[in-house]
Amino acid sequence: MISDVEAPATRRLWSLRSPLLLAGAAAAVWFLGVESWLALDRSAVVDGQLWRLVTGHWTHASAEHLLWDSLAFVVLAAFVRREGAAAYWGALLAGSFGIAVGFLLWAPELAEYRGLSGLCSVFFGVLVVRFFARAKAANDRFGLVAVGIAGVAFVVKVVFEFVSGSAVFVSGAGGMVPVPLAHALGAGIGLGVAALQTAVERQIATCGAGLPGWKQLQLVSRATRL
């Protein structure tokens, strides 16, 4: 049995489990040298290798690319996991397929896509919505400003990548080419997933308005968390 004192620390550790496992999978792909079988290769997908729509996110162009992506992924994913299972898995699944489809449709000049950075952008979008809603509800001006600054910094980063054709944190080693479209799409998907979840939570709270407070919390918890 977990005591009330131990529970917060236990939840933090639990929120790291899945992100670490997924980042570990990306590292395994790199060390095993099977990127060519898993990367999101446009021609291979057209030929029917549909698994690449998902697995491409777990391939990388260089060790540096893998390192930066994995660090960002673990941090952002852990924060989103603490927001609940619905936010985490919904964002991960929607982002995995949404970014891949967007790449195929709107980046015809690129033959291949690799990296977790698109999914990092998805998680960033989720956190922007969740932290903004929380700060607004608490009338936390500092929190609102912090979220605003983070959002502007992200937009500046994506614009820089579009204009310069260079990544902010990763060099072009290994032929790594930044795909700012994936980052923009990812953020948009994250914003949408979080906004939908927030709307569902409000609807559940409204439907249970006549119930005791603890029952309302229980309804929201069942809808959003494992």
Side-chain angles (χ1 to χ4, degrees):
M1 181 176 179
I2 299 173
S3 69
D4 292 340
V5 175
E6 295 173 325
T10 302
R11 284 195 293 269
R12 284 194 292 270
L13 290 174
W14 181 264
S15 68
L16 278 170
R17 190 181 70 163
S18 175
L20 285 172
L21 286 173
L22 292 174
V29 168
W30 170 256
F31 286 112
L32 291 173
V34 294
E35 294 92 346
S36 61
W37 294 91
L38 302 176
L40 178 49
D41 182 282
R42 181 182 300 277
S43 60
V45 171
V46 172
D47 287 340
Q49 298 179 24
L50 300 182
W51 66 83
R52 293 175 181 267
L53 294 172
V54 175
T55 60
H57 299 285
W58 275 264
T59 62
H60 293 82
S62 67
E64 181 190 11
H65 186 203
L66 170 65
L67 176 62
W68 279 106
D69 274 10
S70 297
L71 287 174
F73 181 86
V74 169
V75 172
L76 292 168
F79 273 106
V80 174
R81 185 62 185 85
R82 294 182 67 186
E83 294 294 318
Y88 179 71
W89 293 110
L92 192 61
L93 291 173
S96 294
F97 287 103
I99 292 171
V101 172
F103 166 78
L104 294 175
L105 292 177
W106 298 314
E109 73 282 3
L110 296 177
E112 189 178 82
Y113 173 79
R114 299 185 183 194
L116 285 167
S117 59
L119 294 180
C120 291
S121 300
V122 174
F123 289 140
F124 179 84
V126 171
L127 292 174
V128 164
V129 172
R130 303 294 287 185
F131 287 174
F132 176 83
R134 199 166 294 147
K136 185 177 180 182
N139 196 26
D140 179 4
R141 294 184 179 179
F142 176 80
L144 292 172
V145 171
V147 171
I149 291 174
V152 170
F154 180 85
V155 171
V156 170
K157 171 185 174 293
V158 172
V159 171
F160 172 82
E161 291 171 341
F162 269 115
V163 173
S164 69
S166 302
V168 174
F169 299 107
V170 184
S171 68
M176 202 285 292
V177 177
V179 185
L181 172 66
H183 303 159
L185 279 173
I189 291 169
L191 292 171
V193 168
L196 178 61
Q197 184 192 16
T198 300
V200 170
E201 290 175 1
R202 288 175 179 171
Q203 185 62 37
I204 292 173
T206 299
C207 292
L211 299 174
W214 67 270
K215 191 65 175 179
Q216 294 179 31
L217 290 174
Q218 188 179 62
L219 287 173
V220 174
S221 178
R222 286 179 176 175
T224 60
R225 297 179 183 273
L226 285 177

